[in-house]
Amino acid sequence: MNRLYILLAALLANIALLSLASCSDDDNGGGQPVIECVRSTDPELADSTFTDAMVGQMILIQGKNLNNAIHVYINGQDVYFNSNYNTATHLIVTIPAELVTRGEDESVPLEIRIETSHGTATYDFHVISGYPAIDVYKAQLELNENGVAEMKPGQEVTLLGSTLHEIERIYVADLDTVPLFDITEFTVNSARTEIDLTMPANEIPDKGLFVVECYAATAYCGFSKSPQKPVLTDISTDMPIPGQRVVIYGKYLTDLTVLNLGGEIDIDVNSVETNENQDKLIFTMPNQLPSDNSNGLITVGTLGGRETLQFYNYSRVYEDFDGHGTQMAYGWGTQHFGGNPVWGWTAIPATCPITESAGNFIYFEGFTSWWDHNLTINSKVAPTGIDASTPLSDIELRYEVYIQEQFTVAETMTSTITVLGKEKAGIPIADRVTGELMPAQWMSVAVPMSEVAPDIATWGDLCTADPGGDNFKIFLAYNTTGDNVIIAYDNFRFYVKQQ
């Protein structure tokens, strides 16, 4: 009997030891790993968990026995993690920006998998590449019995956008987003940037919305049965030099019928370049310039209507050296080696390599030696064509610049411009569209006036703060002397951005 009690006691003691060992394994993260949730690394958001995330997002994986992680897989892809941020209850990882998502490859598993030295844990999780967007649609419209181009039932339509991933539904809605009919025939390109769809054999509303519901979000695009009116948002240069390339930016820039400069000059629409996204028009500025009596606008006409932007608006010109500039007292320029200043209303020398111009321009030629290639004008008056209440953040200083060749001695070369007594240094000698210096070509520069005068709120405030005196200056800046620089400036004006 005593022996039985001893054996029973020994057995109970062994069971107790095994239980303690098992508890110890769990406490130390040695048991089966389990992922309980995923949350933000922000301690204040510890209670907010989620099962979706964006590429590039840092996440905290929470659970049990997660220590000694060897691999972390997201969407079946081995991702880097810092073992210093791996404990029995937590693992922090950043979802790689280049992670392949379900929207790019339908076969990837929607899960997080952590492999440790003592087991594997999985957790259902959905990573998205971004939110869908539709920028524009295009369709080959046909004329109806009244000769008006319109969309027809069964029409082929292409939606152009981005991140069109994991599409769950496409439908047409009215302008209040009430669904009218579903689109069931559609295909998506491999880049997930285009949807080709077929309109059903229903009556198409005069105006409506294409609605694309994706896993991540819903994208919308307005449409009309007849062509959309063009939308103009910007122009690369509103006072181009003859021969200069001009780019108009916007939406629905297709089926072009009219391109008119100043109400006076018609551009052959067949010579205008367009693109698939319908967001650009490109033409070359002709030799003829709008006159003083022009309407100061460029007009774009399509089958959908007409829209305008400011163009050769002489009322906003500060100085173009052809008589459209504002009143001034006097001015002077410099040129290296004691040469006479060559600028504005003086004759351009026969040696000047600039063959295309809009008339007179400021022209400097010579070697750099710290005091050269500059112009100062005294008591320059502000243009009158801008409302005093216009926020300075809505205004840009624009001008055209030409440099004959790339500088080689100096490492950096920029323009320092003073207008209405406010100076802006370090302005790149580069085209605002390409961002590059284009030797032997006229380039257009745009500088936000909020950078020129950051302490000024409105145009009226800027004019009031003008100290007068030498308040309009052009100065070529560089870090090393010795370059032979041929440079010209023209058409200084203030551009009011379209709202």
Side-chain angles (χ1 to χ4, degrees):
M1 182 71 69
N2 289 338
R3 180 178 298 172
L4 178 61
Y5 282 133
I6 291 171
L7 289 172
L8 182 59
L11 178 61
L12 291 173
N14 287 332
I15 292 173
L17 286 172
L18 288 172
S19 297
L20 287 172
S22 176
C23 291
S24 176
D25 282 346
D26 286 341
D27 290 343
N28 294 326
Q32 174 62 35
V34 176
I35 300 174
E36 296 175 334
C37 63
V38 176
R39 64 176 178 85
S40 167
T41 56
D42 186 347
E44 296 184 1
L45 301 176
D47 295 331
S48 299
T49 62
F50 45 81
T51 56
D52 302 322
M54 186 85 71
V55 292
Q57 186 174 339
M58 180 181 287
I59 59 174
L60 187 151
I61 304 169
Q62 184 171 304
K64 295 178 181 178
N65 305 321
L66 300 178
N67 64 311
N68 297 330
I70 300 171
H71 293 284
V72 175
Y73 296 92
I74 301 178
N75 286 9
Q77 299 154 66
D78 199 348
V79 302
Y80 169 80
F81 69 97
N82 188 332
S83 59
N84 292 327
Y85 301 109
N86 174 210
T87 69
T89 57
H90 299 88
L91 188 147
I92 295 175
V93 64
T94 297
I95 303 172
E98 64 277 8
L99 187 84
V100 177
T101 64
R102 177 63 68 90
E104 298 163 300
D105 182 350
E106 296 295 326
S107 68
V108 299
L110 299 177
E111 66 177 18
I112 296 173
R113 186 170 85 252
I114 299 178
E115 293 183 0
T116 73
S117 59
H118 45 276
T120 299
T122 61
Y123 187 76
D124 291 340
F125 200 76
H126 203 132
V127 178
I128 60 174
S129 297
Y131 299 113
I134 305 172
D135 301 319
V136 72
Y137 73 92
K138 61 179 182 179
Q140 187 66 44
L141 305 184
E142 299 178 9
L143 298 180
N144 63 17
E145 62 276 9
N146 298 317
V148 177
E150 66 176 18
M151 191 179 294
K152 302 280 189 180
Q155 172 86 53
E156 298 295 322
V157 178
T158 300
L159 307 182
L160 304 176
S162 58
T163 326
L164 299 171
H165 293 180
E166 300 181 84
I167 296 173
E168 298 175 343
R169 182 188 181 193
I170 301 177
Y171 61 93
V172 171
D174 64 18
L175 296 181
D176 294 322
T177 69
V178 176
L180 299 177
F181 48 81
D182 279 271
I183 302 293
T184 56
E185 297 181 39
F186 66 88
T187 59
V188 187
N189 69 340
S190 59
R192 306 302 196 272
T193 57
E194 294 185 14
I195 301 173
D196 291 321
L197 61 87
T198 302
M199 300 291 283
N202 301 64
E203 181 64 28
I204 298 173
D206 290 339
K207 292 185 182 296
L209 297 170
F210 289 113
V211 183
V212 179
E213 293 182 351
C214 300
Y215 177 85
T218 300
Y220 302 87
C221 179
F223 76 91
S224 62
K225 187 175 183 180
S226 294
Q228 287 276 50
K229 184 178 180 181
V231 176
L232 307 184
T233 57
D234 195 9
I235 188 167
S236 60
T237 170
D238 59 297
M239 288 190 74
I241 307 300
Q244 195 171 355
R245 184 174 183 267
V246 183
V247 185
I248 301 170
Y249 301 91
K251 294 174 66 175
Y252 308 115
L253 303 181
T254 186
D255 298 319
L256 189 64
T257 59
V258 172
L259 182 58
N260 179 271
L261 312 181
E264 301 174 338
I265 306 165
D266 285 314
I267 303 296
D268 181 1
V269 295
N270 294 315
S271 68
V272 178
E273 296 178 38
T274 59
N275 68 348
E276 283 293 309
N277 289 343
Q278 305 174 21
D279 59 1
K280 290 180 185 177
L281 297 175
I282 303 171
F283 71 97
T284 299
M285 184 64 189
N287 290 330
Q288 183 184 356
L289 300 179
S291 72
D292 293 1
N293 298 318
S294 70
N295 62 16
L297 299 171
I298 186 169
T299 301
V300 174
T302 71
L303 290 177
R306 295 193 175 198
E307 193 55 85
T308 61
L309 280 175
Q310 60 193 291
F311 191 83
Y312 267 85
N313 187 338
Y314 292 116
S315 71
R316 295 172 179 173
V317 170
Y318 195 44
E319 187 55 70
D320 69 350
F321 314 107
D322 290 306
H324 301 107
T326 61
Q327 180 182 338
M328 55 172 275
Y330 53 87
W332 64 92
T334 62
Q335 205 175 7
H336 189 43
F337 296 139
N340 293 323
V342 181
W343 55 289
W345 38 92
T346 63
I348 302 299
T351 57
C352 175
I354 302 173
T355 58
E356 293 184 313
S357 71
N360 292 319
F361 47 85
I362 291 293
Y363 173 72
F364 303 104
E365 179 176 351
F367 284 91
T368 55
S369 62
W370 301 128
W371 184 247
D372 50 80
H373 298 79
N374 64 79
L375 167 73
T376 296
I377 288 181
N378 184 274
S379 301
K380 188 72 169 160
V381 176
T384 59
I386 303 175
D387 188 273
S389 64
T390 305
L392 216 58
S393 57
D394 290 344
I395 303 174
E396 292 176 337
L397 170 68
R398 291 191 176 188
Y399 59 88
E400 311 306 298
V401 64
Y402 175 106
I403 189 167
Q404 181 61 26
E405 59 187 28
Q406 173 73 51
F407 48 88
T408 57
V409 178
E411 296 172 336
T412 60
M413 189 170 289
T414 58
S415 298
T416 297
I417 306 294
T418 301
V419 291
L420 298 175
K422 296 293 184 179
E423 178 183 286
K424 171 66 176 176
I427 303 172
I429 301 173
D431 186 78
R432 68 181 296 256
V433 174
T434 66
E436 299 176 354
L437 187 154
M438 304 188 310
Q441 298 182 57
W442 283 101
M443 300 169 283
S444 188
V445 177
V447 183
M449 283 303 296
S450 56
E451 295 181 7
V452 178
D455 55 337
I456 302 293
T458 67
W459 173 254
D461 294 337
L462 177 65
C463 295
T464 301
D466 181 7
D470 295 338
N471 60 350
F472 177 35
K473 302 177 185 177
I474 303 170
F475 192 90
L476 185 67
Y478 39 82
N479 69 326
T480 304
T481 63
D483 281 292
N484 184 32
V485 178
I486 297 174
I487 192 167
Y489 296 86
D490 201 2
N491 291 349
F492 286 86
R493 73 275 188 191
F494 296 99
Y495 184 87
V496 180
K497 293 183 287 185
Q498 184 165 295
Q499 299 302 310

